[in-house]
Amino acid sequence: MLCDFYGCAFFMKVTNGELTMTISNIFPQLEIPNTLAAGPGPGNTDARVLARFASAGIADHMHDAVLKGMIECKFMLRDLFGTKNIHTFGVAGTGWSGLDCMFSAVMPGDTVVAFSNGTFSGIDALTLRMKAATRDELAQDSLNPKASSVTVIEVPHGQSVTGEMVDAALKKHKPKWAFMAHWETGSGRINDIQGFSNACMKHNAMGLIDAVSSLGVEDFAIDDFKGIAAWASCPQKGVMCLPLTYAPVSFTDQYIDVLKANGSYTYCHHPIMEARHWGIVDGQDVEKGGYHRTHSGYAVAAFHEALRITLEYGLSQRADDYVFHENALRQAVISMGCEVTSNMTSLIVLNLPGDLSGREMELVQTCRAENFGIWPTLSSPVQVRIGILNQLTQSAITDIVNRFAVAMNKMGADVNIETINLGLEIYYKQAIAAE
């Protein structure tokens, strides 16, 4: 007999005259509401991408259509990255999966200089310390190894990594590898990618770049940066796909040669082995990929559509639109009395007005409770982060601004929302008139 008690299902039966009960935690179907993702990422996935995900047939992961989609994705990724690198493909998972794949060539004892100016480049630096640590160094502190071969340059919160910083550090330490995040969403700062590449070439270091937040948002071609040997990004920011699809990566021939010579302590995220499933074998494109690990036909369909949308939009146009709409948001929050400290074009990082200072986390939690997904910074000092990923319209920016203004007023601010909206109207009308 099946019964229900306080939301749990339980079975009752009689055995040899005794009543016994077995409880089974079968919960109601999970309902997740729509949320305006207005943080550093993930952003709201395009409805067309979700449609392709949902409409994909139940297919074997080695089905010809799935493999065809993967091969087409690698060619679209080369266009998006702006590269002729053969080893350009997607790593199943989030951006961390792509980064782990990129770092897989770093071996114990390798010399590394890593630049950290926020939460995520800091985690990247920790990953590199784990990869380069010796067995003894790992044994001493396996979760936070102090690898003697790795130098981490800590740049103060809210500041960018400059070419001069990179040049000085590489000149001093002469590393095999150098690492930097292109855009650091922990603090909302853009770092000097050209200066980094130049310094890597000058000091004979192989550059590794975290492009998680910049790919698909800024207009750049990776082949223009000759000092950088490997790039890793993510699916859920500029590419605007589901978080658990494919993290774009791209490796130069130099990187692959080093990997072949030295090996890697991984199977799953081994760049050469991963590439085979995408139809890249022995540095050549082949007609059909071979098995490496199980891929999802749903994820392939979604990723394929996200890349199509990005390329149809045009990277140059999208980059311009991010600049344009970020400026509208920036002006609006400044007019509310906030101080903006970021220079990214997909994300605003701000300090609240003086009378609300110290209540940043409270404001974020209030907004999230109303399905308005803004974020705090994940390191001190706590700031507020408001993102515009896939929100490149006047109506979307106006919605974000109004939700934020209402939340501030609930905390005691005196924001004149009518005046704020008038400022947005003027900004967009002037832009239309200028066209």
Side-chain angles (χ1 to χ4, degrees):
M1 178 172 58
L2 176 64
C3 306
D4 182 75
F5 184 71
Y6 287 113
C8 293
F10 63 91
F11 294 89
M12 300 182 68
K13 65 178 180 178
V14 177
T15 305
N16 296 327
E18 295 185 3
L19 181 67
T20 60
M21 181 175 72
T22 302
I23 296 178
S24 176
N25 290 318
I26 303 175
F27 298 99
Q29 284 186 329
L30 178 63
E31 299 290 342
I32 298 177
N34 286 325
T35 301
L36 173 55
N44 290 120
T45 295
D46 194 292
R48 290 166 292 179
V49 175
L50 293 174
R52 297 313 302 163
F53 182 93
S55 64
I58 301 174
D60 173 73
H61 65 285
M62 293 298 291
H63 190 283
D64 284 347
V66 177
L67 296 179
K68 172 179 177 290
M70 293 174 73
I71 288 174
E72 290 175 352
C73 284
K74 75 176 177 183
F75 289 121
M76 287 191 282
L77 274 175
R78 289 174 194 171
D79 288 341
L80 180 60
F81 268 119
T83 186
K84 294 181 180 178
N85 289 344
I86 292 295
H87 286 85
T88 301
F89 52 90
V91 180
T94 67
W96 291 120
S97 301
L99 287 160
D100 190 63
C101 184
M102 179 178 72
F103 293 143
S104 67
V106 178
M107 299 291 281
D110 279 359
T111 52
V112 185
V113 169
F115 296 86
S116 172
N117 67 321
T119 300
F120 299 100
S121 53
I123 297 174
D124 288 330
L126 171 59
T127 305
L128 286 162
R129 287 190 281 118
M130 289 178 167
K131 297 284 188 183
T134 64
R135 288 178 66 91
D136 287 342
E137 288 169 337
L138 275 177
Q140 290 174 21
D141 190 349
S142 63
L143 300 182
N144 188 28
K146 308 301 189 293
S148 60
S149 63
V150 179
T151 300
V152 179
I153 307 298
E154 299 284 354
V155 178
H157 182 90
Q159 295 184 26
S160 296
V161 179
T162 66
E164 291 77 12
M165 293 178 188
V166 180
D167 182 71
L170 299 193
K171 179 180 180 180
K172 179 179 179 180
H173 298 287
K174 304 293 187 202
K176 177 178 180 179
W177 305 99
F179 164 79
M180 185 183 74
H182 186 189
W183 288 18
E184 169 55 80
T185 52
S187 53
R189 300 300 302 182
I190 297 176
N191 296 321
D192 183 359
I193 191 73
Q194 187 64 69
F196 177 86
S197 176
N198 292 345
C200 287
M201 292 186 66
K202 180 179 177 182
H203 300 289
N204 198 31
M206 286 183 288
L208 306 173
I209 286 292
D210 175 340
V212 162
S213 297
S214 57
L215 184 67
V217 178
E218 183 177 313
D219 185 10
F220 65 97
I222 67 173
D223 282 357
D224 291 339
F225 303 101
K226 303 301 183 182
I228 300 170
W231 303 72
S233 188
C234 77
Q236 71 267 33
K237 292 192 178 183
V239 177
M240 293 315 307
C241 197
L242 300 163
L244 283 171
T245 50
Y246 294 101
V249 293
S250 187
F251 306 104
T252 64
D253 290 343
Q254 180 193 21
Y255 177 99
I256 296 299
D257 287 343
V258 169
L259 183 63
K260 285 180 180 178
N262 297 332
S264 175
Y265 291 120
T266 183
Y267 171 85
C268 181
H269 287 160
H270 195 296
I272 296 173
M273 293 180 177
E274 280 272 8
R276 292 172 182 169
H277 209 152
W278 299 82
I280 304 165
V281 180
D282 295 330
Q284 301 292 325
D285 288 318
V286 298
E287 186 176 342
K288 186 176 182 178
Y291 177 75
H292 173 61
R293 57 177 166 141
T294 304
H295 285 249
S296 163
Y298 305 103
V300 171
F303 190 54
H304 188 278
E305 186 67 9
L307 292 171
R308 290 182 67 252
I309 292 170
T310 302
L311 294 175
E312 287 173 356
Y313 195 121
L315 187 54
S316 178
Q317 183 61 58
R318 176 173 284 189
D320 288 345
D321 287 352
Y322 270 109
V323 171
F324 175 66
H325 291 290
E326 184 271 347
N327 192 49
L329 175 60
R330 176 183 291 263
Q331 290 186 21
V333 299
I334 289 175
S335 67
M336 297 180 204
C338 300
E339 176 195 15
V340 176
T341 62
S342 55
N343 65 351
M344 285 174 53
T345 62
S346 62
L347 179 70
I348 294 285
V349 180
L350 59 89
N351 297 317
L352 292 176
D355 53 346
L356 297 180
S357 180
R359 300 177 66 188
E360 288 80 7
M361 188 63 74
E362 178 187 347
L363 183 142
V364 168
Q365 291 172 342
T366 297
C367 290
R368 283 183 164 177
E370 298 180 359
N371 298 325
F372 176 40
I374 62 175
W375 282 72
T377 53
L378 302 179
S379 58
S380 297
V382 176
Q383 296 177 283
V384 176
R385 295 185 290 169
I386 309 174
I388 61 171
L389 289 168
N390 209 27
Q391 304 295 320
L392 301 179
T393 65
Q394 179 180 348
S395 61
I397 299 300
T398 301
D399 184 25
I400 290 171
V401 167
N402 277 262
R403 292 189 191 211
F404 186 67
V406 167
M408 287 184 62
N409 283 345
K410 285 182 178 179
M411 291 179 60
D414 187 23
V415 174
N416 189 319
I417 298 177
E418 184 176 343
T419 300
I420 298 296
N421 284 328
L422 178 60
L424 285 172
E425 284 288 338
I426 293 171
Y427 176 86
Y428 282 103
K429 283 182 179 179
Q430 287 177 342
I432 293 173
E435 291 179 353

